[in-house]
Amino acid sequence: MSNTSSEIRYQVRDLIEYATALFAAAGCDGDKPAAIAAGLVEADLLGHTTHGLQLAPTYLGELESGGMIPRGEPEVVADRGATVTWDGRRLPGVWLTAKAVDLAVERAPTYGVATIVIRRSHHIGCLAAFLQRATDRGLMITIASSDPAVASVAPFGGRKAVFTPDPFAVGIPTDADPILIDISASITTNGMAGRLRREGKTFPGAWALDAAGAPTDDPNALFSDPPGSLLPLGGAEYGHKGFGLALMVEALTQGLSGFGRAEAPTQWGASVFVQVIDPTAFGGRDAFQHETGWLANACRDSPPVPGVDAVRVPGQRGLAHKKRALAEGVVLYPGIADALAPHATRLRVTPPRPIGA
Amino acid sequence: MSNTSSEIRYQVRDLIEYATALFAAAGCDGDKPAAIAAGLVEADLLGHTTHGLQLAPTYLGELESGGMIPRGEPEVVADRGATVTWDGRRLPGVWLTAKAVDLAVERAPTYGVATIVIRRSHHIGCLAAFLQRATDRGLMITIASSDPAVASVAPFGGRKAVFTPDPFAVGIPTDADPILIDISASITTNGMAGRLRREGKTFPGAWALDAAGAPTDDPNALFSDPPGSLLPLGGAEYGHKGFGLALMVEALTQGLSGFGRAEAPTQWGASVFVQVIDPTAFGGRDAFQHETGWLANACRDSPPVPGVDAVRVPGQRGLAHKKRALAEGVVLYPGIADALAPHATRLRVTPPRPIGA
């Protein structure tokens, strides 16, 4: 993203302060407003613009309607030390997930591997935004999430959706910058389909099926009646691979937490899996970072295919984006500031002034 | 596979006995011959014909040359209860992996999650062949493997290979048959490329790059000088997803075990990750199997796309193949019996007679 004079930029701390004030005014208690604000803005810093502050108006709407619960703690369903299960009680998912990651980070050095699952969380935002809480401490982390109330991705060979995109993110520390992976079991996401539809654009390939089961690049296929579906990773050609990933994510999230599609929930939410691994318990932290650092460099050193400048390791672009945003300010994706404005008015919170305004 | 009169079938127990006798005569001690034989034949039963007895002649060649060590135990590098690290000392990987899975199965009920990594294993065969050792006991399992001595898969955007296909398998118990997932971070595998090349066939799509970085369906591109590479899952279109999976698998296997590409090994082998999860430690076994069983049924109930009879859940075809093979005998993929014959002669082991011969 180039810094042209027509772009409206905000200081990062101003955006976090703004979002914190909005969620506090909306009734969230304790450290929830700050945690939600930090998680959403972190997504924007990393360039995940569909899962940053773009979600804030919807979250504020959920708080207003009672779909998201603003106060209290998760219920502990089970705690064996290395493994913890929470009932999230539809509390804010960004806050719950940050809290789960921090608990797993705290426990991983004791047990080697710490695993935390959450049933009935509300939406958790951008998975990549939580990774550095672990990688900054030399720990490897995996986060997976699914929403048992929503189905938009078809199983391979089928045309009726069963899964959500079922994202999972992996943070891998190295001897330099961490590797930050954020992918999903489907080729694309609901959020991207909605954005392309609003903007009158198509997918770059046949990433969806229409209701009859024919591959299509038209995001409108997802919104027909009956609706089409998103294709699993691998598409019509080798989508059994994405199908396998979706089953894995749904088993880790809904299966382990014991709350999922079998309960036919209707409210927007998430089942969540967090696992933090301490390499010290295995072959050692230095050995781990030596291997992963070597690997990241080998990837960067692979000569690029025609049309590509250089191989980028996952997270490399996001971390560069974040560094620049912290120094020069954040450009919000078009429409976000306008969507927040009515909530700011309703909640009597003053929006931040852009840099130079 | 239909049972026609021209097919040569073997009793499963005869094949296991044959392979056991071969590995015993080749010098493997203790339970190694039986474990290797059972693991390889299990792959054939599940229909993974590139990773069953087809590997036996190569393993026997490695034992003859000293590349695979026939006797002794792995060295325990670390053992914290929930986490274990072994140096496999280039012992037979099929035996090592079965042993690691059984240890993780034994420990998972105590710790909730048990994780075992192995450095310097020899090749571990078919990952799917180990899954039912866990799922039969109501446990979820993940196995991942990479070979730091081999590079055939390019990072997304690059044209020089860095990774192996980096397979990972996931076994998910349900309230009926288990879900058995066996996929890789690349679209296809080295084994499949070699087989298609020998048979003069092409990939079903542009699943590889030639040495110049152009997508191709020609498996010969992998064998040119300089060689081309296999594309990560997602190919030229969205291969950043397969790239992410490859980094995840290499971090779990080489990173955690502390032995990988940074050491520039030259001998055929594997770094291995095994994790077994006991749902009892989380939301409960019944809740888990209720969710996963519901999910498997929802997938089977998704109406099929044109040209497909019905959606099949991963493992469904393999388990049906195994059931039939146990009842009616196994048809070995062409060439396997002939490739084993010289080893049988050398080691003075009598090959089994086909059924009806």
Side-chain angles (χ1 to χ4, degrees):
Chain A
M1 199 178 291
S2 65
N3 188 356
T4 66
S5 57
S6 65
E7 284 174 335
I8 299 172
R9 307 181 87 86
Y10 297 90
Q11 293 282 3
V12 173
R13 64 169 178 275
D14 290 350
L15 286 180
I16 294 178
E17 199 174 292
Y18 179 40
T20 302
L22 286 168
F23 285 101
C28 292
D29 65 351
D31 61 342
K32 291 185 187 70
I36 302 167
L40 293 180
V41 173
E42 178 75 7
D44 283 310
L45 294 186
L46 292 168
H48 293 266
T49 57
T50 56
H51 283 69
L53 283 175
Q54 177 161 316
L55 291 167
T58 325
Y59 287 2
L60 291 165
E62 284 282 287
L63 285 164
E64 203 179 1
S65 70
M68 186 186 284
I69 304 300
R71 309 175 80 84
E73 296 293 316
E75 183 197 330
V76 179
V77 176
D79 185 346
R80 294 212 193 168
T83 59
V84 176
T85 307
W86 288 343
D87 183 338
R89 300 176 43 244
R90 304 195 52 75
L91 289 159
V94 175
W95 171 76
L96 275 172
T97 304
K99 193 178 164 79
V101 168
D102 291 349
L103 182 61
V105 163
E106 185 189 316
R107 293 193 179 186
T110 304
Y111 299 101
V113 177
T115 308
I116 301 181
V117 299
I118 315 173
R119 63 169 74 151
R120 298 202 314 137
S121 170
H122 203 289
H123 189 262
I124 74 167
C126 171
L127 277 61
F130 304 103
L131 300 178
Q132 285 182 280
R133 299 173 96 95
T135 58
D136 282 352
R137 290 159 185 83
L139 305 169
M140 180 165 172
I141 178 169
T142 301
I143 305 175
S145 169
S146 62
D147 183 352
V150 177
S152 55
V153 179
F156 183 60
R159 61 186 166 83
K160 187 181 168 196
V162 171
F163 308 107
T164 25
D166 290 352
F168 58 102
V170 182
I172 303 172
T174 78
D175 50 15
D177 280 340
I179 300 168
L180 306 176
I181 301 159
D182 187 358
I183 54 185
S184 62
S186 57
I187 303 177
T188 188
T189 62
N190 301 325
M192 187 54 70
R195 177 177 286 182
L196 290 175
R197 181 187 186 225
R198 283 193 302 277
E199 297 176 354
K201 297 178 181 167
T202 58
F203 295 122
W207 293 1
L209 294 177
D210 65 22
T216 177
D217 65 357
D218 181 3
N220 288 297
L222 277 300
F223 303 88
S224 63
D225 183 19
S229 57
L230 296 172
L231 275 165
L233 194 51
E237 208 176 342
Y238 48 91
H240 63 286
K241 302 212 175 192
F243 183 14
L245 289 172
L247 289 163
M248 176 187 82
V249 168
E250 300 234 344
L252 290 173
T253 55
Q254 300 170 34
L256 287 182
S257 76
F259 182 81
R261 302 187 186 280
E263 281 65 51
T266 54
Q267 285 182 296
W268 189 34
S271 295
V272 186
F273 171 88
V274 172
Q275 184 171 82
V276 172
I277 301 179
D278 185 358
T280 306
F282 294 92
R285 183 168 298 191
D286 290 347
F288 182 91
Q289 298 192 356
H290 182 57
E291 296 299 335
T292 54
W294 190 97
L295 194 65
N297 285 334
C299 292
R300 288 192 194 95
D301 290 345
S302 178
V305 298
V308 169
D309 285 340
V311 172
R312 275 194 312 264
V313 171
Q316 186 172 335
R317 179 153 54 176
L319 289 171
H321 191 274
K322 178 176 172 178
K323 194 174 173 185
R324 201 165 52 240
L326 287 170
E328 301 172 11
V330 191
V331 179
L332 288 185
Y333 197 85
I336 292 177
D338 289 350
L340 279 169
H343 292 282
T345 304
R346 172 175 69 86
L347 297 166
R348 299 170 195 273
V349 171
T350 309
R353 283 190 299 184
I355 295 173
Chain B
M1 201 178 289
S2 65
N3 186 355
T4 65
S5 58
S6 66
E7 282 175 338
I8 300 172
R9 304 182 89 84
Y10 296 89
Q11 291 285 1
V12 173
R13 64 169 177 275
D14 289 349
L15 286 180
I16 293 178
E17 201 174 289
Y18 178 40
T20 302
L22 286 169
F23 284 102
C28 292
D29 65 350
D31 62 341
K32 292 185 186 72
I36 302 166
L40 292 181
V41 173
E42 178 75 8
D44 283 310
L45 295 185
L46 292 168
H48 293 266
T49 58
T50 55
H51 284 70
L53 284 175
Q54 179 162 313
L55 291 167
T58 324
Y59 287 2
L60 291 166
E62 284 282 286
L63 285 164
E64 204 181 358
S65 72
M68 185 187 285
I69 303 301
R71 310 174 79 85
E73 297 292 316
E75 184 197 330
V76 178
V77 175
D79 185 346
R80 292 212 194 168
T83 57
V84 176
T85 306
W86 288 342
D87 184 337
R89 300 177 43 243
R90 304 195 53 75
L91 289 158
V94 176
W95 170 76
L96 275 171
T97 305
K99 192 177 165 81
V101 168
D102 291 349
L103 181 61
V105 163
E106 185 190 316
R107 294 193 179 184
T110 304
Y111 300 102
V113 177
T115 309
I116 301 182
V117 299
I118 314 172
R119 64 168 77 150
R120 298 203 314 138
S121 169
H122 203 287
H123 189 263
I124 75 167
C126 171
L127 277 61
F130 303 102
L131 300 177
Q132 286 184 278
R133 300 174 95 97
T135 58
D136 283 351
R137 290 161 185 81
L139 305 169
M140 181 165 171
I141 178 169
T142 301
I143 305 175
S145 169
S146 64
D147 183 351
V150 177
S152 55
V153 178
F156 183 59
R159 59 186 166 85
K160 186 181 169 196
V162 172
F163 308 108
T164 25
D166 290 352
F168 58 103
V170 182
I172 304 172
T174 78
D175 51 14
D177 280 340
I179 300 168
L180 305 177
I181 301 158
D182 187 358
I183 53 185
S184 62
S186 58
I187 304 177
T188 189
T189 62
N190 300 325
M192 188 53 72
R195 177 177 285 183
L196 291 175
R197 181 187 186 225
R198 283 192 301 277
E199 297 176 351
K201 297 177 181 166
T202 58
F203 296 121
W207 292 1
L209 293 177
D210 65 22
T216 178
D217 65 358
D218 181 2
N220 288 298
L222 277 298
F223 302 88
S224 63
D225 182 19
S229 58
L230 297 172
L231 275 165
L233 195 51
E237 208 175 341
Y238 48 91
H240 63 286
K241 301 213 175 191
F243 184 16
L245 290 172
L247 289 163
M248 175 187 81
V249 167
E250 301 235 342
L252 290 173
T253 55
Q254 299 169 35
L256 288 182
S257 76
F259 182 81
R261 301 186 188 281
E263 280 65 49
T266 54
Q267 286 182 296
W268 190 32
S271 295
V272 186
F273 171 88
V274 172
Q275 183 171 84
V276 172
I277 301 180
D278 185 358
T280 307
F282 295 92
R285 183 168 300 191
D286 290 349
F288 182 92
Q289 298 192 356
H290 182 56
E291 295 299 335
T292 54
W294 190 96
L295 193 66
N297 286 332
C299 293
R300 290 192 193 94
D301 290 346
S302 179
V305 298
V308 169
D309 286 340
V311 172
R312 274 195 315 265
V313 171
Q316 186 173 333
R317 179 153 54 174
L319 290 170
H321 191 273
K322 178 176 173 178
K323 194 174 170 184
R324 202 164 53 239
L326 287 170
E328 302 172 9
V330 191
V331 179
L332 288 185
Y333 197 84
I336 292 177
D338 288 350
L340 280 169
H343 291 282
T345 304
R346 173 174 69 86
L347 297 166
R348 299 170 194 273
V349 171
T350 308
R353 283 189 301 184
I355 294 172

